[in-house]
Amino acid sequence: MITGPASPPDVRGDRTPSLLVPSARRARPHPPAAAPARPDLSAPPVGTLSPPVAHAAVTGVLRRFGTGPAVAVRPVAEGLLNRGYRVTTTEGRYFLKCYVDRATASRAAIGAQHRATTALHARGLPVARPLPALGGDTVVAHRGRLFGLYPWVEGEHPHGTALDLSQCADLGALLGRLHGALAQVCAPVRQPAGRLAADPDETGRLVGDLRRLAGRHHPHTPFDALAEEHLAERLDLLAAHRGRRPAPADAPPTGWTHGDFHGLNLLHRGGAVVAVLDWDKLGLHPTAEEAVRAATLLFNDRQSGVLDLCRVRAYTRAYRAEAAAGPGELAAAVHRVWWERLNDLWMLQWHYQRGDHRADPLFPAAAGQLRWWCQEYEQVLDAFSN
């Protein structure tokens, strides 16, 4: 068993728990976990905005891993948090990962991820294992940065709406198996008494701040106009639904989750998933909520955000068939994820409060999905729970 946190993550909800050996004593329930954290505005933009890794540094890291010399080094375009490179050496190809995101790039956090993914790989799940360096460690420090090295896996990232119903079901079954395996290889989980949901009053104040920033932005762009329109609509939606805030005790059970299960972190080849990538957000969250959140990212129309509910239903039935969650847990998860989206403004916070525009292309579909979800709430609930 991998020793890891025996308690819920930091109450901010955005940090990987520290490594703790589970206590042999009978654990007492924890108080309710905090609501999802807003973006940390004190954190500078990182990931793909951080300085690239110099070729000399790549050479030094590869030497520590004992590979052949690099013949070609190409940055991987996808990803917001960390930097990745496709490295071709004289003896083969690798994926080199440079960990730079402040919330997930500590040696302890990376080590926990590596132990978990190694254990999942050993169980036959499609998870790439980190390779050991010459000293046996899978994390290498070089010139102030931390690195991991993986075998290169060929594949593609089809959007969920391009998959047939059988492939959608395979995705749901895979996530169910991952949740089950994580519960076995990671530390036991002590359930919190509940999970607080976002405060609509706090969200309303944030909407006001963002409206002022969007309204006075010059030059006034089409993005600013869309943001103003959406923020006005968000106030109306908050007013209409403020009485539907989930109670802390209604949260589904907490367990170990991938934390970022979506299309760009799933590598397909020959009609099947050959690798689940990017375990940076491995942590403790309600597992059924990850299943719901993943479906909203996998099976949405990229322009309108509308969900393909036929594909959602096939995926969710397969997830439930793995005994990962029952209909009641999925229904509770749908309501909580919907409420989270109703109160979530991270894309506009990045844009206006951090000056980070990398998520701008995602905003129109996200805004459209929330509007549609509020109108079709019962249909969405039925697709996940029946």
Side-chain angles (χ1 to χ4, degrees):
M1 175 181 294
I2 296 174
T3 58
S7 59
D10 181 283
V11 295
R12 284 171 44 85
D14 59 354
R15 296 179 185 172
T16 302
S18 60
L19 298 181
L20 299 172
V21 177
S23 172
R25 294 177 297 176
R26 186 173 182 178
R28 296 180 180 178
H30 282 262
R38 309 284 184 182
D40 180 1
L41 301 183
S42 67
V46 293
T48 49
L49 293 185
S50 66
V53 180
H55 186 81
V58 172
T59 300
V61 172
L62 294 180
R63 189 179 301 117
R64 299 275 298 278
F65 279 100
T67 72
V71 176
V73 179
R74 295 177 55 188
V76 176
E78 306 292 354
L80 296 178
L81 297 182
N82 298 296
R83 281 194 171 273
Y85 296 87
R86 174 176 172 168
V87 178
T88 303
T89 72
T90 55
E91 61 182 32
R93 286 179 296 179
Y94 300 90
F95 175 68
L96 178 66
K97 186 166 186 175
C98 177
Y99 297 88
V100 295
D101 180 57
R102 189 169 75 176
T104 60
S106 69
R107 183 178 284 274
I110 300 168
Q113 297 162 23
H114 285 189
R115 288 191 293 277
T117 52
T118 298
L120 294 174
H121 176 85
R123 287 172 174 258
L125 289 160
V127 178
R129 75 188 193 285
L131 300 175
L134 293 178
D137 197 349
T138 58
V139 185
V140 163
H142 187 82
R143 297 185 180 178
R145 287 177 162 184
L146 298 175
F147 295 85
L149 189 69
Y150 297 81
W152 181 262
V153 182
E154 289 288 351
E156 300 176 341
H157 300 282
H159 191 56
T161 53
L163 306 178
D164 61 32
L165 293 182
S166 175
Q167 291 171 310
C168 297
D170 289 344
L171 275 185
L174 172 59
L175 183 58
R177 290 195 297 274
L178 284 172
H179 284 167
L182 285 169
Q184 295 172 7
V185 304
C186 293
V189 178
R190 290 188 287 174
Q191 292 295 323
R195 283 186 172 267
L196 299 176
D199 182 349
D201 292 330
E202 179 188 340
T203 304
R205 291 190 291 271
L206 177 58
V207 169
D209 293 341
L210 292 171
R211 289 183 79 183
R212 286 188 289 274
L213 291 171
R216 68 186 185 213
H217 186 264
H218 295 288
H220 202 68
T221 66
F223 185 94
D224 298 318
L226 177 62
E228 286 188 292
E229 177 186 347
H230 174 73
L231 289 166
E233 179 184 52
R234 185 71 70 98
L235 285 179
D236 291 339
L237 292 174
L238 286 167
H241 299 291
R242 64 179 298 110
R244 302 178 68 185
R245 183 182 185 184
D250 292 340
T254 291
W256 289 97
T257 62
H258 174 276
D260 205 17
F261 195 87
H262 59 72
L264 292 179
N265 287 337
L266 298 170
L267 202 58
H268 296 247
R269 188 173 67 243
V273 175
V274 292
V276 181
L277 309 172
D278 287 348
W279 289 78
D280 303 88
K281 294 186 178 180
L282 172 69
L284 289 166
H285 301 282
T287 51
E289 288 185 27
E290 171 158 77
V292 172
R293 193 173 296 110
T296 67
L297 302 174
L298 289 164
F299 306 117
N300 67 327
D301 182 274
R302 290 181 172 180
Q303 277 70 50
S304 69
V306 172
L307 295 181
D308 185 322
L309 295 181
C310 290
R311 286 178 165 82
V312 168
R313 194 180 300 275
Y315 157 94
T316 308
R317 285 178 172 173
Y319 179 79
R320 295 204 314 262
E322 290 291 327
E329 292 175 3
L330 263 298
V334 168
H335 186 67
R336 286 180 56 83
V337 174
W338 165 78
W339 180 263
E340 171 193 300
R341 297 291 173 80
L342 183 61
N343 287 270
D344 185 17
L345 293 155
W346 75 269
M347 297 177 191
L348 294 183
Q349 287 185 268
W350 273 30
H351 182 97
Y352 290 109
Q353 295 177 328
R354 290 180 57 174
D356 187 338
H357 296 178
R358 288 175 295 167
D360 288 3
L362 306 175
F363 175 67
Q369 184 178 100
L370 177 62
R371 180 187 310 114
W372 171 84
W373 196 344
C374 289
Q375 296 168 351
E376 305 294 340
Y377 180 90
E378 296 299 333
Q379 286 194 55
V380 176
L381 183 65
D382 183 74
F384 278 101
S385 58
N386 290 318

